[in-house]
Amino acid sequence: MRETWRWYGPFDGITLPQITQTGAAGIVTSLHEIAYGEIWPQALIAERNAEIKAAGFTWDVVESLPIHERIKKGEGDLETLFANYRQSMANLAAEGIKTICYNFMPVLDWTRTDLKSPVSGGGTCLRFSAPKMAAFELHMLGRDAARDDYSADTIAAADVWFQASDEAMRADLLRSIMSGLPGAFDRYDIPQLREVLATYDGISRDDLRSNYKRFLQEIIPTAQELGMNFCVHPDDPPRDILGLPRIVSNADDIAWIMDAFDAPENGLTLCSGSLGANPINDVPDIARRFGDRIHFAHLRNVAKDPDGSFEEAAHLGGDTDMVALVRELLNAQAKRGVTIPFRPDHGHDLLMDDQIETQPGYPIIGRLRGLAEMRGVIAALG
């Protein structure tokens, strides 16, 4: 497996020379400064690629080439958006970048309620608290239908949290939920979030699937022509939130996607943390089942609570058997004769990590610990 590292370019407080010290060989990045739906200019791709090469790396994976919300909603004339997406693909391929990780999550990417939750022994981690998310939906957004999405005990805990909270705590909760969106676009306050959520009113799970299938039909043939691999990232968290359907949350969802356009180029980003947060998922079994379509892997671990809450665990310390998972990934790449790139995902903030301003969940020391642990597992199994 090939070691890579996610780098946020101009938005990242971690520099390429610092990443060199991790031992990773490849970079995973995106042009986060470009608005969703716009064409990625080849000149800008070439400039970023040259910067990465000058530091001694290769640009192995694009994460992500974002999908405009209108495509997810199937809204209006989409031909220009599809054409722009295909042109961005062609511009990336012209620079030798052939793997694209993306997601089909409506409105938000990964969602957490706490960015600095303490962990045993020191340090902090990302956490998703079901009661705090319920408090946000019920009391801050005023989405009363959310009462159907949480247990009575979770709603009671949400009421207690909200009644004890002040404006600063509520503002921090909103900031945490918005922090999963990378780059410079689409941060919402409460009125804006209500407005964008309203644009999804009436869009069902089946509707979202239909719009996703159209996306695959528009895009995968171009990927085939360009020799590119597309790999969808699972939902994070792998459950409906904010009244929005999530359709990449379990093995059945993945099977539907693979069948919606049955071609090797239509593949999966195996994110062990996202899938691992769903109690029904056996992550090593998912890797075994879909090994012929995994083009990229995010390796991290989570520890789950019975109420649906979870937090980022140490890479070898959560609920997923990471040794079994890595064994399945090594088997998959051996069968296919390929090398699967992976990156250590969401690490704990450790030691001096709080002194570097970077994206939440992406510290250098915490991820380096995860990379070292995964490197050891791979070496032992290899």
Side-chain angles (χ1 to χ4, degrees), residues 1 291 327-340:
M1 297 177 69
R327 183 181 290 112
E328 293 300 336
L329 293 172
L330 290 171
N331 289 341
Q333 69 174 15
K335 288 177 183 177
R336 291 160 54 194
V338 300
T339 299
I340 297 173

Side-chain angles (χ1 to χ4, degrees), residues 296-350:
F296 182 36
H298 292 176
L299 299 183
R300 63 182 173 91
N301 219 327
V302 296
K304 298 184 289 292
D305 297 332
D307 66 357
S309 302
F310 62 89
E311 68 182 28
E312 309 286 353
H315 282 67
L316 297 179
D319 295 337
T320 295
D321 184 340
M322 295 296 286
V323 175
L325 172 59
V326 171
R327 183 181 290 112
E328 293 300 336
L329 293 172
L330 290 171
N331 289 341
Q333 69 174 15
K335 288 177 183 177
R336 291 160 54 194
V338 300
T339 299
I340 297 173
F342 80 95
R343 65 174 180 82
D345 205 3
H346 297 181
H348 291 173
D349 280 8
L350 302 173

Side-chain angles (χ1 to χ4, degrees), residues 69 73 107 188 191-200 244:
E69 292 299 314
K73 291 181 286 187
V107 182
Y188 307 116
Q192 290 169 336
L193 185 55
R194 288 193 189 111
E195 184 178 343
V196 73
L197 290 175
T199 67
Y200 275 87
L244 300 169

Side-chain angles (χ1 to χ4, degrees), residues 19-38:
I19 296 171
T20 301
Q21 297 180 50
T22 70
I27 292 294
V28 175
T29 193
S30 179
L31 301 185
H32 295 296
E33 59 269 41
I34 297 180
Y36 291 13
E38 298 297 319

Side-chain angles (χ1 to χ4, degrees), residues 144-219:
D144 197 56
R147 294 188 181 278
D148 297 330
D149 299 336
Y150 297 93
S151 70
D153 287 346
T154 298
I155 290 172
D159 293 342
V160 169
W161 182 88
F162 185 77
Q163 290 164 8
S165 67
D166 56 24
E167 287 300 319
M169 293 168 67
R170 296 167 195 169
D172 185 65
L173 178 57
L174 174 63
R175 182 178 65 86
S176 297
I177 291 170
M178 288 297 107
S179 291
L181 291 167
F185 300 96
D186 292 340
R187 298 296 194 275
Y188 307 116
D189 59 21
I190 293 293
Q192 290 169 336
L193 185 55
R194 288 193 189 111
E195 184 178 343
V196 73
L197 290 175
T199 67
Y200 275 87
D201 286 350
I203 295 179
S204 68
R205 175 182 176 86
D206 287 343
D207 293 331
L208 193 61
R209 272 189 165 184
S210 177
N211 298 336
Y212 187 12
K213 186 170 184 177
R214 180 183 175 188
F215 170 78
L216 294 174
Q217 291 169 337
E218 294 277 356
I219 297 304

